[in-house]
């Protein structure tokens, strides 16, 4: 026993996510059901976590957080607004301000109301910039300089639409951090297959999983 009631979920999340994908493919659930079921894996685990990085889905130490996430700053090439899609407890919103030499104003969008509440509570000065919504449908009130997202925030058939929607609302769309094996480039190949040109990338080896890399890609406005 580790004492962590969610340890089995962290280990088996990929299996549970594949089952949720299967239910959507078979038509047992719709997209709203897909988001609800993914949230049942994510939200209780994040709310039960005791460190800000675990409340944002990163296990390990503070140094693991800094190492694995700070390459997002490599994608920032100017000052302006920065929207973190899937902001969880807002820790990345706070961190990005430290990591980039540019002056950025962080905003957050979060599908789970409980996590958006936690982010507002943690960042009271930025509470009015944290919104509840599903990124694929949300209509931004203004364009952003940078938007950051991950593709797995929506069911697979929606990913292209997510990229097109967010890209239309910013100067630069940042995808990642995601983990891939050093010999595979699945995310970049998928983007290319949609006719999307990757403008740049940043890579760091995963020091906890041999052969794996943390990656960030960015795409500029058309
Ligand atoms: C792994 S956390 C990311 C935390 C932080 N942004 C980071 O990159 O470290 C992913 C968050 O995205 C949220 N999320 C997932 N799908 C979403 C969607 N379609 N729209 C908005 N938020 C979403 C989840 O609820 C979760 O809090």
């Amino acid at each position: 026993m580790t004492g962590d009631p969610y340890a089995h979920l962290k280990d088996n999340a990929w299996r549970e996510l594949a089952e949720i994908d299967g239910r959507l493919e078979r038509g047992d659930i719709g997209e709203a059901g897909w988001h609800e079921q993914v949230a049942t894996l994510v939200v209780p685990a994040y709310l039960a976590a005791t460190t800000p990085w675990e409340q944002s889905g990163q296990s390990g130490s503070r140094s693991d957080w800094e190492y694995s996430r700070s390459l997002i700053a490599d994608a920032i090439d100017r000052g302006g607004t920065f929207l973190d899609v899937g902001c969880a407890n807002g820790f990345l919103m706070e961190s990005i301000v430290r990591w980039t030499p540019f002056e950025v104003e962080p905003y957050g969008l979060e599908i789970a109301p409980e996590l958006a509440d936690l982010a507002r509570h943690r960042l009271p000065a930025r509470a009015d910039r944290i919104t509840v919504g599903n990124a694929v449908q949300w209509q931004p009130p203004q364009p952003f300089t940078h938007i950051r997202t991950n593709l797995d925030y929506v069911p697979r058939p929606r990913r292209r639409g997510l990229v097109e929607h967010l890209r239309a609302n910013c100067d630069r769309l940042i995808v990642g951090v995601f983990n891939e094996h050093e010999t595979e480039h699945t995310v970049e190949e998928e983007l290319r297959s949609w006719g999307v040109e990757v403008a740049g990338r940043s890579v760091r080896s995963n020091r906890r999983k041999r052969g794996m890399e943390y990656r960030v890609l960015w795409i500029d406005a058309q």
Side-chain angles (χ1 to χ4, degrees):
M1 281 293 280
T2 62
D4 175 357
Y6 296 100
H8 71 288
L9 282 184
K10 288 171 191 159
D11 289 343
N12 294 325
W14 65 270
R15 198 189 308 273
E16 307 212 16
L17 288 169
E19 281 171 15
I20 297 169
D21 285 343
R23 282 177 217 132
L24 180 68
E25 276 161 29
R26 290 192 300 275
D28 297 345
I29 56 171
E31 286 192 19
W34 185 92
H35 286 290
E36 275 165 27
Q37 294 191 4
V38 172
T40 64
L41 294 182
V42 168
V43 177
Y46 288 16
L47 291 178
T50 53
T51 65
W53 49 93
E54 287 171 309
Q55 290 175 348
S56 270
Q58 171 68 50
S59 60
S61 64
R62 174 179 280 272
S63 136
D64 292 324
W65 166 264
E66 298 285 318
Y67 179 81
S68 65
R69 292 294 212 280
S70 62
L71 69 170
I72 294 169
D74 294 342
I76 296 181
D77 64 342
R78 72 201 89 160
T81 51
F82 173 93
L83 174 69
D84 185 25
V85 170
C87 67
N89 71 339
F91 195 44
L92 182 67
M93 292 171 61
E94 272 180 287
S95 303
I96 198 70
V97 174
R98 279 190 294 112
W99 292 332
T100 174
F102 298 103
E103 201 160 312
V104 293
E105 286 298 332
Y107 289 70
L109 177 69
E110 173 52 56
I111 198 168
E114 306 92 319
L115 293 175
D117 280 346
L118 175 60
R120 291 191 193 107
H121 180 74
R122 291 186 64 257
L123 308 177
R126 299 195 162 113
D128 60 351
R129 295 181 182 172
I130 297 167
T131 308
V132 175
N134 181 346
V136 78
Q137 295 151 352
W138 185 63
Q139 293 302 326
Q142 86 252 358
F144 291 91
T145 315
H146 296 91
I147 298 181
R148 188 219 66 85
T149 191
N150 279 79
L151 300 187
D152 58 3
Y153 293 169
V154 291
R156 193 169 290 280
R158 282 266 179 223
R159 291 183 185 168
R160 182 175 185 172
L162 176 73
V163 167
E164 287 168 358
H165 175 54
L166 296 178
R167 187 186 192 186
N169 285 288
C170 63
D171 295 329
R172 173 168 285 184
L173 178 63
I174 305 168
V175 179
V177 174
F178 55 91
N179 248 298
E180 275 182 334
H181 193 268
E182 59 195 6
T183 58
E184 288 170 6
H185 297 87
T186 313
V187 172
E188 187 156 346
E189 281 162 14
E190 188 161 34
L191 289 166
R192 287 232 178 81
S193 75
W194 301 332
V196 174
E197 189 187 331
V198 172
R201 59 189 68 66
S202 185
V203 178
R204 203 167 275 177
S205 68
N206 183 327
R207 59 188 187 184
R208 296 194 295 164
K209 285 189 190 150
R210 185 189 284 269
M212 300 295 286
E213 291 180 340
Y214 298 116
R215 294 186 184 159
V216 167
L217 305 174
W218 51 95
I219 301 159
D220 287 333
Q222 277 171 310

